[in-house]
Amino acid sequence: DGYGAAYIFVRNNNESWPENETQKLTASNGAMSDYFGYSVAISGATAIVGAYYEEPDDLYQGGAAYIFTKNGNTWSETQKLVASDRGGGDKFGRSVAISGTTAIVGTRLEDPDGVRNAGAAYIFTKNGDTWSETQKLTASDPEFNDNFGARVAISGTTAIVGAQWEDPDGVSNAGAAY
């Protein structure tokens, strides 16, 4: 259908993984070429799915991420996340990660402090049933086209953010992680 999807598979005890999904997840407002499902992560009964070409507020490729929560055996969309300072072409949601009640969403083409495509990552925290943006992370040495936020990961209270085209020690596009 062109809208994208993410698939949940559940393994019972020590048995093999099922050949077919338990549930197919889609965005409630899915549109053609949103790239929903390009990035996915799961922690317990919460999943996050990126749709980096989604167009919130009609912002061209601004991007979004969707939170799904498991209730019984059913997964349901519970919230759509977007950056508070979203802009067209940022591609928020190209990378996502989640650990417990904290999620991180990368936006590799964000322009922090006017540095084009330096990138950023956003921390969201769950309070009650609501996820809220609590912090924007940027590199300490942002430069044009570093793509900070190209990849993200989180475990407990520690996050790591990749900048695939960072130039450490003057080595062009060698990359770095923060």
Side-chain angles (χ1 to χ4, degrees):
D1 57 17
Y3 295 168
Y7 298 86
I8 299 289
F9 290 81
V10 178
R11 186 175 110 178
N12 293 320
N13 301 322
N14 290 325
E15 297 175 18
S16 62
W17 289 92
E19 293 181 19
N20 298 307
E21 75 274 2
T22 305
Q23 187 174 340
K24 177 180 178 180
L25 306 180
T26 57
S28 59
N29 67 334
M32 187 67 72
S33 301
D34 278 353
Y35 282 49
F36 178 90
Y38 182 86
S39 56
V40 295
I42 193 168
S43 179
T46 307
I48 185 169
V49 181
Y52 74 97
Y53 271 24
E54 208 271 323
E55 298 184 348
D57 307 320
D58 293 323
L59 290 171
Y60 176 74
Q61 297 177 2
Y66 295 81
I67 298 289
F68 288 83
T69 304
K70 181 180 179 186
N71 187 358
N73 290 324
T74 303
W75 291 83
S76 302
E77 180 185 321
T78 54
Q79 192 170 339
K80 175 181 168 181
L81 306 178
V82 294
S84 60
D85 61 349
R86 59 194 167 275
D90 284 350
K91 299 183 179 171
F92 177 91
R94 182 163 170 123
S95 59
V96 298
I98 189 167
S99 180
T101 58
T102 306
I104 184 169
V105 181
T107 176
R108 68 185 185 95
L109 299 181
E110 164 65 30
D111 302 334
D113 299 322
V115 181
R116 189 161 184 253
N117 298 341
Y122 295 80
I123 301 290
F124 289 84
T125 304
K126 182 179 181 187
N127 187 359
D129 291 332
T130 303
W131 290 83
S132 301
E133 181 185 318
T134 54
Q135 192 168 356
K136 178 180 179 179
L137 305 177
T138 58
S140 56
D141 56 348
E143 294 179 340
F144 168 73
N145 223 25
D146 278 352
N147 281 221
F148 180 92
R151 298 289 182 259
V152 295
I154 190 166
S155 178
T157 60
T158 304
I160 187 167
V161 180
Q164 66 188 24
W165 293 333
E166 163 65 18
D167 302 329
D169 301 323
V171 179
S172 182
N173 297 334
Y178 295 78

